[in-house]
Amino acid sequence: MNIHEYQAKEIMNQFGVVNPKGEVATTPEQAEAIARSLGTNSLVVKSQIHAGGRGKGTFTNGFKGGVHLCKTASQARDITAQMLGQTLVTHQTGPEGRLVRKVLVSESVDIARELYFAIVMDRTLSAPVIIASTEGGMDIETVAAQSPEKIIREPIHPTLGIQPWQTRKLAKKLGFGSSDMRGACRMFASLYKLFMANDCSMVEINPLVQTKGGEVLALDAKFNFDENALFRHPEIQTMRDVEEEDPREVEAAKYNLNYIGLTGNIACMVNGAGLAMATMDIIKHYGGEPANFLDVGGGATESQVTEAFKILVADPNVKAILVNIFGGIMKCDIIAQGVINAYRTLERKEQRLVPLVVRLEGTNVEQGKELLKNSGLPLLAADDLADAARKVVNAVK
């Protein structure tokens, strides 16, 4: 789960992570009032979307940049008016962009240096790793590709946690002098405490800045959380903004379906993550483009299968559907009945229907095939995975 920058600031404040003062606004008038309350003529207005690269982005109305400096409250109001209700396109949003519904109005600071600091989980080490660089404010991927020597990696022992010597080591490598080291070390320790206490999968501060006065501040923040641990954090669950998420994935989550939307035109409904990946691969192998990853799981009910089918058909990009089931715990006749029910429901509602290819194997496969055969549905039966992929790609063509 992701959260907005203004929400990340709220969490940072709880853990003593120093950052500029600011509040979120949903109208130009609110933005003006917040700017006045800050009592400074050094202000910044930031669009709030779940994507990076906002400063270099462009709005579809032609307004340049999702982050703007200004000096007066009236300027903050005018900039906010240009952003709210408009779609911001960045290198992370793709050409479709994201609609801006909120802005963050905060103090701007006199920056001496911009740094990069992040904590992520390293699956190889099964431990958190700090990634830092003196090249802040840039895409860290670009820095890693062009100047890998500037990337600092510091693994953290999962039970001991970050040690004082490690914070001093990081501060020294990032170029902090003896007079500034205490603030930097305090910042690193606080961010690690925040990371662990909230079951984060990533905490990224870009840029982490040092002001001309020597203060160390988290200027921008991006947090991701381990969704498997969110039951421990109801206060973080309330921060979820479903308007920033793929509506297909939001709908699928209501029925406990493992769904990830993609940009292709062949929808997949499969049981088992490994089989789902193999299905997507073989569709690509035969010249098709998968529209999604969908694992209905080993214990899906007939109603879950029905809802999954509805989600697939509702995607306007989908031109055909491939159902690929290997029955173990999940029985083929359950899948077949779910597909039949969903198809007939859509027929009654006169919704758009697309070619359907079904491959069943495993528990109760004969019963499942018999149900489909007697259903009268216009579907294509497949003998194996390769046959299914060929048929669904041809159906689209």
Side-chain angles (χ1 to χ4, degrees):
M1 191 187 96
N2 301 325
I3 61 174
H4 288 291
E5 179 187 1
Y6 76 90
Q7 295 167 320
K9 285 171 68 68
E10 294 172 11
I11 297 175
M12 288 193 293
N13 290 336
Q14 296 171 17
F15 286 83
V17 178
V18 186
N19 62 90
K21 294 179 182 178
E23 295 181 35
V24 67
T26 56
T27 67
E29 292 73 25
Q30 277 186 335
E32 182 177 15
I34 293 167
R36 291 190 190 284
S37 71
L38 291 173
T40 178
N41 61 359
S42 297
L43 299 163
V44 61
V45 180
K46 297 181 174 183
S47 55
Q48 297 296 284
I49 59 172
H50 286 178
R54 292 170 295 166
K56 298 177 183 178
T58 302
F59 288 89
T60 50
N61 65 354
F63 190 59
K64 300 287 187 181
V67 177
H68 280 267
L69 297 172
C70 57
K71 293 185 176 296
T72 67
S74 59
Q75 287 178 337
R77 179 197 62 220
D78 294 341
I79 291 168
T80 300
Q82 293 270 37
M83 292 182 177
L84 290 177
Q86 300 298 324
T87 300
L88 177 61
V89 180
T90 79
H91 71 280
Q92 288 192 10
T93 65
E96 68 278 4
R98 293 280 178 85
L99 183 66
V100 176
R101 299 178 177 87
K102 301 173 183 177
V103 300
L104 173 64
V105 182
S106 67
E107 298 174 330
S108 66
V109 297
D110 200 0
I111 300 172
R113 293 196 304 141
E114 292 188 355
L115 309 167
Y116 178 90
F117 185 92
I119 309 172
V120 298
M121 288 301 299
D122 188 314
R123 295 184 183 277
T124 303
L125 298 175
S126 298
V129 172
I130 291 175
I131 300 174
S133 176
T134 54
E135 303 296 312
M138 296 178 60
D139 296 329
I140 195 66
E141 297 87 357
T142 302
V143 178
Q146 298 178 358
S147 308
E149 72 282 358
K150 295 181 179 179
I151 302 294
I152 302 164
R153 291 174 58 88
E154 183 67 30
I156 307 299
H157 194 285
T159 55
L160 295 178
I162 193 166
Q163 299 297 301
W165 66 266
Q166 289 179 298
T167 61
R168 292 193 296 270
K169 174 184 174 183
L170 287 165
K172 186 174 181 180
K173 285 189 173 183
L174 289 172
F176 288 97
S178 56
S179 60
D180 309 317
M181 190 166 289
R182 178 173 295 180
C185 291
R186 189 182 303 118
M187 171 71 75
F188 302 156
S190 297
L191 285 169
Y192 184 78
K193 184 178 179 182
L194 181 159
F195 177 88
M196 295 301 294
N198 291 284
D199 289 303
C200 297
S201 56
M202 182 188 77
V203 167
E204 181 183 63
I205 309 298
N206 188 26
L208 176 73
V209 302
Q210 184 176 23
T211 68
K212 291 184 178 178
E215 192 175 13
V216 183
L217 298 173
L219 204 60
D220 196 356
K222 183 177 181 181
F223 294 177
N224 291 346
F225 301 91
D226 182 352
E227 294 188 5
N228 294 314
L230 281 178
F231 71 92
R232 292 198 287 252
H233 305 283
E235 75 287 355
I236 292 176
Q237 291 185 57
T238 62
M239 294 181 174
R240 184 182 181 189
D241 186 353
V242 295
E243 292 181 325
E244 285 289 316
E245 300 177 25
D246 187 324
R248 300 171 297 178
E249 296 178 13
V250 174
E251 185 67 16
K254 294 178 183 178
Y255 305 101
N256 296 316
L257 297 168
N258 299 309
Y259 179 97
I260 299 173
L262 302 172
T263 57
N265 55 16
I266 297 176
C268 310
M269 182 162 68
V270 191
N271 67 321
L275 185 58
M277 295 295 288
T279 302
M280 295 163 63
D281 286 345
I282 201 165
I283 287 173
K284 292 280 288 185
H285 176 73
Y286 283 101
E289 291 292 334
N292 65 274
F293 168 98
L294 173 57
D295 169 19
V296 296
T301 64
E302 186 179 312
S303 62
Q304 282 180 302
V305 173
T306 302
E307 296 302 330
F309 197 90
K310 290 178 182 177
I311 292 168
L312 298 183
V313 176
D315 184 346
N317 294 324
V318 169
K319 306 303 180 189
I321 298 174
L322 171 56
V323 177
N324 182 25
I325 300 298
F326 188 87
I329 299 173
M330 166 55 68
K331 298 175 182 177
C332 293
D333 55 333
I334 297 293
I335 289 288
Q337 192 61 57
V339 170
I340 293 168
N341 291 347
Y343 202 94
R344 286 177 176 163
T345 298
L346 296 172
E347 279 185 323
R348 286 194 298 270
K349 293 182 178 180
E350 297 183 349
Q351 287 185 256
R352 179 182 70 100
L353 297 172
V354 297
L356 175 63
V357 178
V358 181
R359 180 254 181 170
L360 300 177
E361 195 59 71
T363 306
N364 292 357
V365 65
E366 295 304 325
Q367 294 94 315
K369 288 182 177 179
E370 192 68 19
L371 282 170
L372 292 173
K373 180 181 177 181
N374 297 330
S375 68
L377 300 184
L379 58 83
L380 297 171
D383 298 324
D384 53 42
L385 187 49
D387 183 42
R390 283 191 296 265
K391 284 180 176 176
V392 77
V393 170
N394 288 335
V396 168
K397 291 180 179 179

